[in-house]
């Protein structure tokens, strides 16, 4: 039996953090055990917002190194850069000719940009580039070109998957059942990972704990976790304390129970718990940090891995695009 295909795109914006690890990276790596997996760096999607050459290059490398450090095996998963596969852009044009404009008008990120402008009484399309507007079509091409069955994504990408299905259906209606309708696998944040301020950990709140910080910076970041100002001896509320919630992700069940009791009874200071969390987290990330640092200091190795993935991905893309070109009457 041939395996179903799982595919996902990783946008290289912002430094990867522990929320990404639990919410996206680990589940995707686990999925690669039971699917034929293609995971790629969505660098041309990042171009809708990143305007700096150096930042772009750094973020691509950081994100690639992070996935490898977290355990992605490039011999098991086809791991590549979107921009290395020119076929996807030709396919994007084909799909954009089948995508109703009204559907794009209703895409969340475009609608949000318009709403923000209108709230400020600005021109509704101010600052909106065509890349942002066409973003869902490129994403549909990313998915449909590789005939992906399952697409692991966060809740925020659900609409993009619906759009991809709609476009695939429109194509199939005109040209026959050539495109696979993809299904999202929504990573319900098993536990929502709180950031240092207690809100969901997210780069847009600037409250993240980056994954592979040098120990000194990691310690500093942990010390920035916001708590109330209760003294050592005072009883505290574990449930509402984000320091405790983050601690729980890394401590043993026994230690969690002890600390929970100490919260109720008093006697444990936040400073102490932060020091303990630092030790735990530092131990947890140390092996990955080593791999991560290795790749960032040997970018040619990263490039080689991604090129090897691109070669495999491109063969699939070329075969599919050939069928598409035939179907639409371009190959004669
Ligand atoms: N839009 C996705 C995000 O922001 C990234 C992405 C691009 C993607 N192409 C994709 C995800 C294809 C899944 C499948 O997270």
């Amino acid at each position: 039996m041939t395996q179903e295909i799982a595919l996902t795109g990783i946008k290289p914006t912002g430094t990867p953090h522990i929320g990404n690890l639990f919410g996206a990276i680990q589940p995707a790596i686990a999925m690669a055990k039971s699917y034929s997996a293609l995971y790629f760096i969505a660098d041309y999607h990042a171009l809708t917002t990143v305007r700096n050459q150096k930042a772009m290059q750094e973020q691509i490398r950081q994100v690639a190194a992070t996935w490898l450090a977290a355990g992605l095996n490039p011999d098991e998963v086809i791991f590549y850069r979107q921009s290395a596969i020119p076929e996807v852009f030709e396919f994007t044009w084909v799909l954009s000719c089948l995508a109703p404009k009204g559907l794009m008008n209703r895409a969340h990120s475009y609608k949000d940009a318009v709403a923000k402008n209108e709230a400020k009484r600005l021109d509704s399309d101010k600052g909106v580039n065509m890349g942002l507007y066409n973003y869902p079509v490129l994403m549909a091409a990313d998915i449909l070109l590789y005939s992906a069955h399952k697409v692991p994504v966060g809740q925020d990408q659900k609409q993009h998957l619906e759009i991809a299905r709609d476009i695939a259906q429109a194509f199939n209606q005109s040209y026959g059942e050539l495109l696979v309708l993809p299904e999202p696998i929504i990573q319900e944040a098993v536990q929502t990972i709180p950031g240092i301020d207690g809100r969901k950990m997210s780069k847009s709140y600037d409250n993240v704990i980056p994954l592979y910080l040098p120990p000194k910076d990691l310690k500093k970041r942990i010390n920035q976790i916001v708590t109330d100002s209760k003294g050592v001896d005072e009883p505290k509320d574990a449930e509402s304390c984000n320091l405790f919630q983050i601690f729980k992700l890394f401590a043993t069940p026994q230690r969690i129970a002890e600390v929970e009791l100490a919260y109720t009874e008093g006697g444990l200071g936040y400073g102490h718990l932060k020091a303990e969390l630092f030790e735990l987290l530092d131990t947890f990330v140390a092996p990955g940090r080593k791999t991560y640092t290795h790749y960032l200091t040997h970018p040619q190795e990263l490039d080689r891995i991604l090129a090897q993935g691109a070669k495999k991905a491109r063969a699939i893309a070329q075969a599919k695009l050939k069928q598409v070109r035939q179907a639409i009457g371009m190959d004669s």
Side-chain angles (χ1 to χ4, degrees):
M1 205 187 80
T2 51
Q3 269 186 330
E4 287 207 322
I5 293 169
L7 169 145
T8 199
I10 309 143
K11 210 157 97 174
T13 47
T15 307
H17 55 77
I18 62 172
N20 299 138
L21 181 72
F22 293 118
I25 303 175
Q26 283 183 343
I29 291 176
M31 234 181 130
K33 299 272 170 246
S34 28
Y35 289 86
S36 256
L38 295 105
Y39 297 157
F40 65 93
I41 317 283
D43 45 6
Y44 265 131
H45 273 117
L47 189 62
T48 61
T49 52
V50 180
R51 280 294 166 278
N52 177 295
Q53 181 203 50
K54 228 174 148 244
M56 178 68 93
Q57 194 180 43
E58 262 173 31
Q59 288 170 9
I60 290 170
R61 290 191 171 144
Q62 280 181 355
V63 103
T66 297
W67 280 67
L68 293 167
L72 180 140
N73 176 351
D75 294 323
E76 243 170 52
V77 173
I78 300 183
F79 189 47
Y80 60 101
R81 280 169 70 161
Q82 178 188 41
S83 61
I85 319 293
E87 285 74 15
V88 79
F89 307 105
E90 180 174 345
F91 191 40
T92 298
W93 175 260
V94 174
L95 295 182
S96 71
C97 293
L98 288 136
K101 176 170 177 286
L103 191 63
M104 298 304 119
N105 291 340
R106 291 190 292 277
H108 294 318
S109 45
Y110 172 66
K111 255 176 66 175
D112 288 352
V114 168
K116 274 193 193 136
N117 281 332
E118 286 176 351
K120 288 193 233 152
R121 299 182 187 282
L122 296 169
D123 181 87
S124 57
D125 281 329
K126 186 168 188 335
V128 175
N129 60 61
M130 285 303 291
L132 172 69
Y133 192 69
N134 288 332
Y135 188 110
V137 186
L138 176 56
M139 184 159 157
D142 287 332
I143 299 168
L144 303 174
L145 190 57
Y146 302 93
S147 311
H149 303 93
K150 298 285 180 337
V151 182
V153 282
Q155 179 67 33
D156 64 326
Q157 298 297 312
K158 203 172 156 198
Q159 190 200 27
H160 285 149
L161 261 291
E162 283 158 14
I163 294 174
R165 287 174 67 91
D166 283 353
I167 298 176
Q169 251 159 350
F171 183 99
N172 287 351
Q173 223 152 48
S174 297
Y175 299 111
E177 298 293 312
L178 190 58
L179 304 181
V180 173
L181 301 194
E183 273 174 49
I185 303 279
I186 304 291
Q187 318 277 12
E188 302 291 356
V190 189
Q191 335 95 314
T192 305
I193 315 288
I196 62 165
D197 60 357
R199 290 184 291 175
K200 177 180 185 289
M201 189 177 288
S202 161
K203 65 167 188 268
S204 46
Y205 295 148
D206 200 17
N207 65 357
V208 308
I209 302 177
L211 256 175
Y212 298 126
L213 285 178
K216 203 166 86 306
D217 298 335
L218 179 61
K219 184 171 248 165
K220 213 161 122 195
R221 195 60 175 160
I222 288 175
N223 283 331
Q224 289 168 343
I225 295 175
V226 179
T227 60
D228 58 33
S229 52
K230 291 209 170 83
V232 175
D233 294 329
E234 285 178 78
K236 306 173 182 67
D237 181 34
E239 209 36 53
S240 64
C241 176
N242 47 303
L243 172 58
F244 179 74
Q245 297 307 321
I246 298 171
F247 178 78
K248 259 171 60 174
L249 298 168
F250 302 98
T252 62
Q254 192 197 338
R255 189 61 194 140
I256 294 171
E258 285 166 9
V259 169
E260 208 162 13
L261 189 67
Y263 263 76
T264 336
E265 294 183 339
L268 176 71
Y270 292 127
H272 274 97
L273 194 60
K274 284 182 179 177
E276 191 176 333
L277 173 61
F278 165 72
E279 293 301 333
L280 281 174
L281 197 51
D282 191 55
T283 308
F284 176 81
V285 298
R289 183 198 278 141
K290 213 168 146 226
T291 313
Y292 178 79
T293 313
H294 173 81
Y295 281 125
L296 287 187
T297 47
H298 300 80
Q300 67 287 4
E301 276 185 44
L302 266 185
D303 293 346
R304 194 176 43 73
I305 290 172
L306 292 167
Q308 165 203 317
K311 206 168 153 203
K312 296 182 208 159
R314 197 154 182 213
I316 303 172
Q318 281 172 335
K320 190 74 181 189
L321 188 64
K322 188 162 194 265
Q323 293 177 330
V324 167
R325 291 182 62 128
Q326 264 162 5
I328 62 177
M330 290 295 163
D331 242 15
S332 55

